[in-house]
PDB file of all heavy atoms in Angstrom:
ATOM      1  N   PHE A 157       0.378  16.291  33.847  1.00  0.00           N
ATOM      2  CA  PHE A 157       1.249  16.180  32.678  1.00  0.00           C
ATOM      3  C   PHE A 157       1.469  14.693  32.404  1.00  0.00           C
ATOM      4  O   PHE A 157       1.622  13.911  33.337  1.00  0.00           O
ATOM      5  CB  PHE A 157       2.571  16.890  32.994  1.00  0.00           C
ATOM      6  CG  PHE A 157       3.455  17.170  31.818  1.00  0.00           C
ATOM      7  CD1 PHE A 157       2.974  17.776  30.675  1.00  0.00           C
ATOM      8  CD2 PHE A 157       4.810  16.851  31.883  1.00  0.00           C
ATOM      9  CE1 PHE A 157       3.816  18.065  29.607  1.00  0.00           C
ATOM     10  CE2 PHE A 157       5.659  17.140  30.833  1.00  0.00           C
ATOM     11  CZ  PHE A 157       5.162  17.739  29.689  1.00  0.00           C
ATOM     12  N   GLN A 158       1.495  14.301  31.147  1.00  0.00           N
ATOM     13  CA  GLN A 158       1.591  12.876  30.807  1.00  0.00           C
ATOM     14  C   GLN A 158       2.404  12.701  29.513  1.00  0.00           C
ATOM     15  O   GLN A 158       1.889  12.269  28.492  1.00  0.00           O
ATOM     16  CB  GLN A 158       0.176  12.287  30.642  1.00  0.00           C
ATOM     17  CG  GLN A 158       0.112  10.769  30.681  1.00  0.00           C
ATOM     18  CD  GLN A 158      -1.330  10.279  30.791  1.00  0.00           C
ATOM     19  OE1 GLN A 158      -2.238  11.051  31.105  1.00  0.00           O
ATOM     20  NE2 GLN A 158      -1.533   8.999  30.555  1.00  0.00           N
ATOM     21  N   PRO A 159       3.693  13.054  29.544  1.00  0.00           N
ATOM     22  CA  PRO A 159       4.489  13.079  28.309  1.00  0.00           C
ATOM     23  C   PRO A 159       4.677  11.690  27.703  1.00  0.00           C
ATOM     24  O   PRO A 159       4.678  10.674  28.402  1.00  0.00           O
ATOM     25  CB  PRO A 159       5.816  13.672  28.770  1.00  0.00           C
ATOM     26  CG  PRO A 159       5.913  13.318  30.219  1.00  0.00           C
ATOM     27  CD  PRO A 159       4.501  13.401  30.728  1.00  0.00           C
ATOM     28  N   ILE A 160       4.866  11.671  26.380  1.00  0.00           N
ATOM     29  CA  ILE A 160       5.012  10.430  25.632  1.00  0.00           C
ATOM     30  C   ILE A 160       6.305  10.478  24.824  1.00  0.00           C
ATOM     31  O   ILE A 160       6.690  11.526  24.300  1.00  0.00           O
ATOM     32  CB  ILE A 160       3.784  10.200  24.712  1.00  0.00           C
ATOM     33  CG1 ILE A 160       3.872   8.865  23.976  1.00  0.00           C
ATOM     34  CG2 ILE A 160       3.584  11.351  23.733  1.00  0.00           C
ATOM     35  CD1 ILE A 160       2.579   8.475  23.266  1.00  0.00           C
ATOM     36  N   ALA A 161       6.980   9.359  24.728  1.00  0.00           N
ATOM     37  CA  ALA A 161       8.227   9.276  23.973  1.00  0.00           C
ATOM     38  C   ALA A 161       7.942   9.309  22.475  1.00  0.00           C
ATOM     39  O   ALA A 161       6.965   8.725  21.997  1.00  0.00           O
ATOM     40  CB  ALA A 161       8.968   7.996  24.328  1.00  0.00           C
ATOM     41  N   ALA A 162       8.807   9.979  21.716  1.00  0.00           N
ATOM     42  CA  ALA A 162       8.643  10.058  20.262  1.00  0.00           C
ATOM     43  C   ALA A 162       8.581   8.669  19.631  1.00  0.00           C
ATOM     44  O   ALA A 162       7.847   8.452  18.659  1.00  0.00           O
ATOM     45  CB  ALA A 162       9.787  10.869  19.661  1.00  0.00           C
ATOM     46  N   GLU A 163       9.329   7.742  20.173  1.00  0.00           N
ATOM     47  CA  GLU A 163       9.306   6.368  19.649  1.00  0.00           C
ATOM     48  C   GLU A 163       7.907   5.769  19.748  1.00  0.00           C
ATOM     49  O   GLU A 163       7.426   5.103  18.823  1.00  0.00           O
ATOM     50  CB  GLU A 163      10.311   5.512  20.426  1.00  0.00           C
ATOM     51  CG  GLU A 163      10.428   4.078  19.956  1.00  0.00           C
ATOM     52  CD  GLU A 163      11.448   3.292  20.747  1.00  0.00           C
ATOM     53  OE1 GLU A 163      12.460   3.897  21.178  1.00  0.00           O
ATOM     54  OE2 GLU A 163      11.255   2.077  20.942  1.00  0.00           O
ATOM     55  N   ASP A 164       7.238   6.009  20.868  1.00  0.00           N
ATOM     56  CA  ASP A 164       5.873   5.508  21.044  1.00  0.00           C
ATOM     57  C   ASP A 164       4.889   6.248  20.147  1.00  0.00           C
ATOM     58  O   ASP A 164       3.956   5.644  19.604  1.00  0.00           O
ATOM     59  CB  ASP A 164       5.436   5.644  22.508  1.00  0.00           C
ATOM     60  CG  ASP A 164       5.994   4.553  23.405  1.00  0.00           C
ATOM     61  OD1 ASP A 164       6.309   3.459  22.884  1.00  0.00           O
ATOM     62  OD2 ASP A 164       6.115   4.785  24.617  1.00  0.00           O
ATOM     63  N   VAL A 165       5.081   7.558  19.991  1.00  0.00           N
ATOM     64  CA  VAL A 165       4.206   8.324  19.098  1.00  0.00           C
ATOM     65  C   VAL A 165       4.259   7.736  17.692  1.00  0.00           C
ATOM     66  O   VAL A 165       3.232   7.469  17.062  1.00  0.00           O
ATOM     67  CB  VAL A 165       4.613   9.817  19.058  1.00  0.00           C
ATOM     68  CG1 VAL A 165       3.775  10.569  18.019  1.00  0.00           C
ATOM     69  CG2 VAL A 165       4.441  10.455  20.424  1.00  0.00           C
ATOM     70  N   SER A 166       5.452   7.499  17.202  1.00  0.00           N
ATOM     71  CA  SER A 166       5.627   6.981  15.844  1.00  0.00           C
ATOM     72  C   SER A 166       4.989   5.611  15.685  1.00  0.00           C
ATOM     73  O   SER A 166       4.327   5.341  14.671  1.00  0.00           O
ATOM     74  CB  SER A 166       7.120   6.912  15.510  1.00  0.00           C
ATOM     75  OG  SER A 166       7.722   8.176  15.630  1.00  0.00           O
ATOM     76  N   ALA A 167       5.172   4.749  16.667  1.00  0.00           N
ATOM     77  CA  ALA A 167       4.589   3.410  16.589  1.00  0.00           C
ATOM     78  C   ALA A 167       3.064   3.470  16.568  1.00  0.00           C
ATOM     79  O   ALA A 167       2.405   2.759  15.797  1.00  0.00           O
ATOM     80  CB  ALA A 167       5.079   2.563  17.763  1.00  0.00           C
ATOM     81  N   LEU A 168       2.493   4.329  17.408  1.00  0.00           N
ATOM     82  CA  LEU A 168       1.042   4.453  17.459  1.00  0.00           C
ATOM     83  C   LEU A 168       0.486   5.111  16.205  1.00  0.00           C
ATOM     84  O   LEU A 168      -0.566   4.709  15.698  1.00  0.00           O
ATOM     85  CB  LEU A 168       0.636   5.236  18.707  1.00  0.00           C
ATOM     86  CG  LEU A 168       0.833   4.483  20.032  1.00  0.00           C
ATOM     87  CD1 LEU A 168       0.772   5.434  21.224  1.00  0.00           C
ATOM     88  CD2 LEU A 168      -0.209   3.381  20.187  1.00  0.00           C
TER      89      LEU A 168
END
Side-chain angles (χ1 to χ4, degrees):
F157 194 50
Q158 197 169 345
I160 183 169
E163 182 179 327
D164 281 335
V165 175
S166 302
L168 289 165

